[in-house]
Amino acid sequence: MTETYRTGGCQCGAVRFRIHGQLGRPSICHCRMCQKQFGGFFSALVTAPKGGVEWTRAQPSYFQSSVNIDRGFCKNCGTPMTYRHPGGLEIAVGTFDDRSDLAPQVQVNHAARLPWVETIFDQPVHDDPDYYSRQEAIISFQHPDHETDQWPSQGLKI
């Protein structure tokens, strides 16, 4: 029997992980701490299997955001990566190499959501064909969405 696993990591590639086993329920959290950690409207997290996370390249650094919660991030690029609590570990959906099947199944702390978050996808779509061709000219230092033996830290500024 072949074991299935999933991979992912931070934007710069300094922190990478492999998850063995079945992921739990993907969720969106609207709490203020998640908004601040992710610098966004909410967080998108999925429960990691207990004992199933292997850090294959470095590990996140942690900030204790409350009595029982530590929030993990890459100390090099700042990517928010984990939400660690007494019951386990949640991994940021955006850090997975393949996120296609991690659609959130529940929203938590819904009462704390920003009042306009319900309508953000009702807004007009910016559809400029030249925009994407200009983006292709950018030289990216972002780690690709797959495993690599090494990854240069060209974007790292210390």
Side-chain angles (χ1 to χ4, degrees), residues 114-136:
L114 292 165
W116 44 262
V117 78
E118 304 290 336
T119 62
I120 57 177
F121 296 109
D122 295 341
Q123 305 312 309
V125 174
H126 176 72
D127 193 13
D128 174 4
D130 293 332
Y131 175 80
Y132 296 103
S133 63
R134 288 190 304 271
Q135 293 301 306
E136 290 173 4

Side-chain angles (χ1 to χ4, degrees), residues 141-153:
F141 297 129
Q142 182 166 292
H143 191 276
D145 287 335
H146 57 80
E147 289 296 306
T148 59
D149 291 333
Q150 293 183 28
W151 184 251
S153 57

